[in-house]
Amino acid sequence: MLQKINESASFLKSKITIQPKIGIVLGSGLGALVDEVDIMVEIPYKDIPNFPVSTVEGHRGSLIFGKLNGVEVMVMSGRFHYYEGYTMKEVTFPIRVMKAIGVEKLILSNAAGGMNPTFKIGDVMIIKDHINFFFDNPLMGKNYDELGPRFPSMNEVYSKKLVKLAHKIAEEHGIYVQQGVYLGVSGPCFETPAEYRAFYILGADTVGMSTVPEAIAAIHQGMEVFAMSVITDLGVIGVVEVASHEEVLAAAQKAGPKMVKIVSEMVTKM
Ligand code: HPA
């Protein structure tokens, strides 16, 4: 694994002249942020040695190096999902490569279903913690001490400092944000009403099919993590507003500008 990470990192380093310290992963329908990036190099995943290839509609499937608001960033436009059949190691491989290139801070975004009854479709939620309901973990198997410890603490996955910064920026721009716990599931099914209810009782405010594996791998290797959900459908007790994949994408696209505003300012201050 270490050799594969280094191979991919060397390949990418040979293509770039910048040294980004911030990595950004764009979720379903949230690709609008790319329009704000001064793109220097864009490399399709299929051209990167050892990278899996994205299969889902709404995902661009490329790695972008450039400047966001003047700050050097490395952006994953489209991610790898567990439900596509990738292993947890494959899902988190790009995060390993980011770190090998020198990225220290990671911003993750996703589309999610909201269970909290105060949430509305199109809301943005700052993730303060997660529940891993994948019944799998990217750190299973041999631990590479070069990457991180065998038993990493998950006490503060989402940097309190960055959560505070995001709130401050949102407030300054009059953007209403929610805050809460994200529960990660394998998918690809959306939840039954009983599942949404169970997850809310368990303490989760949103549910989605990503982010948790990447956050775990990032914390394992000592990165600072920030994550946000866009609420694209509701699984509130009594009012399940079912979504099709198309509706999820449409809702995410509509809410995208709020997230874009927060993230593009965050990178200048983190
Ligand atoms: N459940 C799981 N994943 C999702 C949802 C949902 O309701 N909405 C968007 N991604």
Side-chain angles (χ1 to χ4, degrees), residues 111-113 190-191 196 207-209 232-233 248:
F190 288 115
E191 287 62 39
Y196 282 123
V207 55
M209 307 173 195
T232 55
D233 55 282
V248 166

Side-chain angles (χ1 to χ4, degrees), residues 28 83 110-115 182-191 196 199 206-210 230-235 240-245 248-249:
S28 314
Y83 64 73
N110 60 60
M115 279 91 68
Y182 174 91
L183 183 143
V185 291
S186 70
C189 308
F190 288 115
E191 287 62 39
Y196 282 123
F199 294 160
T206 56
V207 55
M209 307 173 195
S210 67
V230 167
I231 315 299
T232 55
D233 55 282
L234 295 176
V240 174
E241 282 202 25
V242 250
S244 64
H245 182 56
V248 166
L249 291 183

